[in-house]
Amino acid sequence: MCGIVGYIGKKEAYPILIHGLKKLEYRGYDSAGVALFSDMIRVYKHKGKVADLEKYIDGKETKSMLGIGHTRWATHGVPNDVNAHPHTTEHGDIVLVHNGIIENYVTLKLFLQKRGHVFSSETDTEVLAHLIEEVRKSGENDFSSVVQMALQKVTGAYAIAVLSLHDPDMLVVAKKGSPLVVGVGEKEFYVASDPYPLAEYTKQVIYLEDGEIAVLFRDGHIEMKTDTREPKIPYIHTLDIELETLEKSGFEHFMQKEIHEQPRAVCDSLRGRLYSVEDMILNLGGIQNIEEKLLIANHYTFLGCGTSWHAGLIGKKIFEDLLRIPSRAEYASEFRYGNPIIGENEIFFGISQSGETADTLAAIQRAKEGGGTVLGICNVVGSSIARAAHAGLYTHAGPEIGVASTKAFTTQVVTMTLLGLYIGQKKKTISDDHIKKIMRGLSDIPEKIEKILIADEYIKNIAKKYKDAKNALYLGRGYGFPVALEGALKMKEISYIHAEGYPAAEMKHGPIALVDEFMPVVIIALEGPSYEKIMSNAEEIRARKGRIIAVVSEGDTRFRNIAEDCIEIPKTEDLLSPLLSVIPLQLFAYHIAVLRGCDVDRPRNLAKSVTVE
Ligand code: G6P
């Protein structure tokens, strides 16, 4: 939620900031703004997307080699020009951008108002600018110490970039709970909420840890301090991001591109890990330091939010099927504030595309505090969850920019399947035949996804029939149920059609009352253990005139008589079926949203990386 950028060096800052904000727009697009420091600090901010800001700035003075920028997902205060970042004091000498939430801002604001500060916005962020100014009055001359002292009075999460009118040669950045990356160039620094905007300028990056502050100087040197104000030598990581992965590459939307990238993403996720199917060799480097614990665990818990939670539901089923060990999938937001019983030999999986979701991060901290061992299943390398976990497996989906998650989901499922197989093989809970079957099945998945993607146009034509629906039901059983949830989520997120995912049999306990001739009902009806049962559920829907769209196995003939539309997908192992059945649902939601004229990559009110709870 919210993206921040910064630049200090010898180049023009404005185009770099705008470019960075565009790359971070998936984090929020309620308003955007920049502050440019030359002879003075000029602040330009505007409601709406970065493109609106650009239009607003067109023709205005932008000359500067030091600046900060922000794209907002509104938390405190409606999206308007005043609440847009950067924020400043009434004297305009401290200007900052912020990602996160200052939880004690009301108390701080009252205190500052009593000290004569006048506020202009409704945001929590503005408090920070005034607080820094107030601390500066105490006589401390070093600006970074002033900022750090001010931050010590703050409860909540922040990643900030601060300019001080009295310190024209420095950019101060700090973080706690929200992500912040510094890119190191030739006598210049770039700042961003994630590494993607930095990738085309530099591969050398520094990930700030919680409580740390860094002062980036115009002459190219950097001073870092830890949360206890000790000097720290920055550790420089090398980024491994291919630039074309950050572009739409001829697709109309990032989401469309990412759906079509799934064969490649799944291959990348399997690469080196599904080492030899014939010899049944699996390689999972990231788990080495907790391998023993993974093997003796008597409970597995999958934690995540949104799509990642849906992947966790599948993980739970895979683990129970392959290992016969009790497993659960919990919403991270519920787990962190619940009263969870954490077993001594319990393993927690923190599933997150971004690796920055505040609730998932807090949930895994909670698990750690309770004595649990945590394995991160993240896509973004070096992300907070990846670093907070005891061990981790990256999903290798490549950058996912579209707000609605697609390839992250399939690669999360692939990663958990590999993990389940690996543990099952070591613990001998799965026969060799079964292992080989699943391994073979996994290696065939990319090709099978490719085959489904060929039906894109066919699915688009189906979408045309249902684009004006007000509601939709998604039904599945077994492995089809989490897929139904995910299909419904995709539909809600990007097309704004109200959609519910349900276990097919549960439908009789309520949702069936909604079914009439206007209700599209998407049914995952693959060959497998629950095929006959789901057929009966489909009949029940048809008897109430519901319009059935069925995702069926290749060659299925029986559903043709019940469903208005059938989408065939290749056959695979039941346990691997979500990797295929989710694809038509992603395409269906995508086409409906496009046909309805929705902004697919930037759906209203949503943000890709939810760094507030
Ligand atoms: C947001 C995104 C979803 C995502 C969820 C969890 O709601 O819009 O697509 O599934 O966050 O994100 P994570 O990065 O933790 O997987």
Side-chain angles (χ1 to χ4, degrees):
M1 319 234 110
C2 301
I4 66 172
V5 291
Y7 176 78
I8 183 165
K10 304 268 179 280
K11 295 187 193 131
E12 277 302 320
Y14 177 62
I16 295 171
L17 299 178
I18 287 290
H19 172 81
L21 290 180
K22 284 186 178 161
K23 289 269 184 273
L24 290 181
E25 229 180 351
Y26 70 85
R27 302 174 71 90
Y29 28 82
D30 289 332
S31 65
V34 292
L36 301 164
F37 197 165
S38 50
D39 51 325
M40 58 188 285
I41 302 177
R42 291 183 174 82
V43 175
Y44 302 118
K45 48 192 199 170
H46 206 268
K47 182 179 175 217
K49 298 183 174 146
V50 178
D52 300 311
L53 174 73
E54 257 185 307
K55 269 189 222 139
Y56 168 72
I57 296 180
D58 195 23
K60 297 191 170 69
E61 178 58 64
T62 58
K63 255 194 135 15
S64 157
M65 287 180 276
L66 166 58
I68 54 178
H70 188 270
T71 179
R72 178 169 188 242
W73 187 85
T75 57
H76 297 66
V78 294
N80 61 20
D81 294 354
V82 177
N83 290 333
H85 298 218
H87 285 286
T88 177
T89 56
E90 59 268 45
H91 313 296
D93 52 354
I94 287 158
V95 183
L96 57 83
V97 289
H98 166 225
N99 164 214
I101 288 188
I102 308 301
E103 286 168 7
N104 58 340
Y105 87 102
V106 176
T107 322
L108 290 171
K109 193 168 177 174
L110 284 173
F111 162 76
L112 290 161
Q113 278 169 330
K114 278 192 196 137
R115 311 273 302 170
H117 291 258
V118 179
F119 287 79
S120 54
S121 79
E122 302 158 82
T123 64
D124 52 332
T125 300
E126 192 188 345
V127 166
L128 272 181
H130 291 271
L131 185 63
I132 293 171
E133 186 183 66
E134 187 61 28
V135 173
R136 180 138 73 180
K137 284 185 200 155
S138 68
E140 171 63 60
N141 285 328
D142 174 50
F143 186 57
S144 70
S145 301
V146 169
V147 174
Q148 207 165 20
M149 281 156 72
L151 290 174
Q152 271 155 5
K153 299 186 193 306
V154 158
T155 316
Y158 57 79
I160 55 167
V162 197
L163 299 176
S164 156
L165 192 61
H166 309 293
D167 303 271
D169 293 320
M170 65 167 74
L171 170 58
V172 176
V173 296
K175 84 147 235 153
K176 186 178 158 204
S178 300
L180 194 119
V181 194
V182 174
V184 184
E186 269 296 306
K187 295 205 169 166
E188 60 180 358
F189 295 103
Y190 303 82
V191 175
S193 295
D194 71 36
Y196 300 151
L198 312 178
E200 60 200 76
Y201 303 113
T202 178
K203 295 271 180 278
Q204 311 293 300
V205 299
I206 301 163
Y207 293 98
L208 257 68
E209 298 291 340
D210 277 351
E212 287 180 355
I213 188 164
V215 190
L216 314 173
F217 290 94
R218 213 184 272 277
D219 64 6
H221 88 277
I222 176 172
E223 282 173 12
M224 259 176 93
K225 278 188 265 176
T226 64
D227 54 347
T228 52
R229 297 168 72 181
E230 300 296 321
K232 177 179 170 179
I233 298 173
Y235 179 77
I236 299 186
H237 299 253
T238 302
L239 276 185
D240 181 20
I241 297 177
E242 287 166 31
L243 287 181
E244 65 271 21
T245 60
L246 303 172
E247 304 299 333
K248 286 191 205 145
S249 314
F251 286 93
E252 228 178 292
H253 299 99
F254 279 110
M255 181 185 180
Q256 185 189 28
K257 176 190 171 219
E258 287 154 10
I259 292 173
H260 284 266
E261 272 176 350
Q262 287 176 106
R264 198 235 358 105
V266 169
C267 275
D268 287 350
S269 213
L270 293 173
R271 182 162 301 121
R273 294 170 169 174
L274 199 67
Y275 192 74
S276 160
V277 176
E278 281 326 299
D279 300 327
M280 293 181 296
I281 303 175
L282 290 155
N283 241 338
L284 295 180
I287 61 170
Q288 265 161 13
N289 59 333
I290 62 158
E291 179 157 346
E292 219 167 290
K293 288 187 173 164
L294 275 172
L295 299 182
I296 59 160
N298 53 15
H299 214 124
Y300 298 101
T301 297
F302 297 83
L303 299 168
C305 300
T307 291
S308 295
W309 178 68
H310 295 158
L313 289 173
I314 296 170
K316 166 212 149 66
K317 284 185 69 59
I318 293 174
F319 271 53
E320 289 193 334
D321 278 350
L322 296 181
L323 310 178
R324 309 301 301 140
I325 290 180
S327 304
R328 56 180 170 165
E330 299 273 328
Y331 280 120
S333 54
E334 289 297 311
F335 181 86
R336 67 179 286 197
Y337 289 121
N339 194 9
I341 298 159
I342 297 177
E344 209 181 302
N345 291 323
E346 184 163 1
I347 299 283
F348 291 84
F349 301 106
I351 310 167
S352 175
Q353 187 286 128
S354 61
E356 301 295 346
T357 302
D359 282 323
T360 311
L361 186 56
I364 67 165
Q365 303 289 16
R366 178 85 199 263
K368 277 167 80 178
E369 281 155 25
T373 300
V374 177
L375 185 115
I377 298 180
C378 298
N379 188 36
V380 178
V381 176
S383 53
S384 302
I385 293 171
R387 283 178 291 138
H390 294 109
L393 289 173
Y394 286 116
T395 52
H396 297 304
E400 192 182 67
I401 314 285
V403 166
S405 195
T406 52
K407 61 177 180 170
F409 174 80
T410 37
T411 54
Q412 285 165 347
V413 174
V414 164
T415 308
M416 290 183 298
T417 311
L418 287 168
L419 200 51
L421 275 177
Y422 185 89
I423 301 172
Q425 187 181 36
K426 294 269 171 185
K427 287 174 76 91
K428 302 202 188 319
T429 56
I430 329 172
S431 71
D432 282 359
D433 269 2
H434 198 182
I435 292 180
K436 260 196 191 167
K437 250 192 193 165
I438 300 172
M439 286 180 81
R440 249 185 234 124
L442 265 177
S443 64
D444 291 343
I445 290 292
E447 208 183 308
K448 290 183 177 172
I449 297 180
E450 221 48 280
K451 224 170 158 187
I452 301 170
L453 292 171
I454 294 171
D456 194 9
E457 202 53 34
Y458 172 73
I459 295 170
K460 183 176 174 181
N461 284 329
I462 299 178
K464 284 180 187 159
K465 291 167 59 178
Y466 301 97
K467 74 174 180 37
D468 296 319
K470 301 260 179 300
N471 298 287
L473 257 183
Y474 283 70
L475 304 178
R477 281 173 174 259
Y479 283 100
F481 166 53
V483 177
L485 290 176
E486 177 59 10
L489 179 63
K490 290 294 85 102
M491 187 60 87
K492 298 187 253 231
E493 280 180 307
I494 58 170
S495 74
Y496 318 138
I497 293 175
H498 170 243
E500 291 293 337
Y502 250 81
E506 270 300 302
M507 174 262 313
K508 287 202 285 293
H509 301 284
I512 199 164
L514 303 170
V515 175
D516 59 17
E517 68 270 35
F518 305 111
M519 175 71 100
V521 183
V522 178
I523 304 185
I524 295 129
L526 302 177
E527 259 177 32
S530 43
Y531 182 75
E532 292 301 333
K533 301 280 174 209
I534 209 143
M535 174 83 78
S536 315
N537 299 137
E539 291 286 10
E540 290 152 9
I541 300 282
R542 197 168 70 129
R544 274 118 194 130
K545 300 200 170 67
R547 304 176 68 187
I548 297 173
I549 303 128
V551 177
V552 297
S553 305
E554 217 162 37
D556 183 287
T557 50
R558 292 172 65 193
F559 256 86
R560 300 245 161 247
N561 307 320
I562 307 175
E564 194 169 324
D565 292 288
C566 281
I567 304 169
E568 291 191 21
I569 62 170
K571 293 179 189 169
T572 184
E573 298 297 308
D574 189 34
L575 171 146
L576 301 176
S577 63
L579 294 168
L580 301 183
S581 55
V582 77
I583 311 288
L585 306 192
Q586 296 169 343
L587 288 170
F588 186 54
Y590 169 77
H591 286 302
I592 288 203
V594 173
L595 290 163
R596 288 165 70 93
C598 300
D599 188 344
V600 173
D601 284 334
R602 289 172 298 191
R604 70 180 180 213
N605 304 341
L606 295 177
K608 182 147 192 74
S609 186
V610 182
T611 51
V612 295
E613 58 178 283

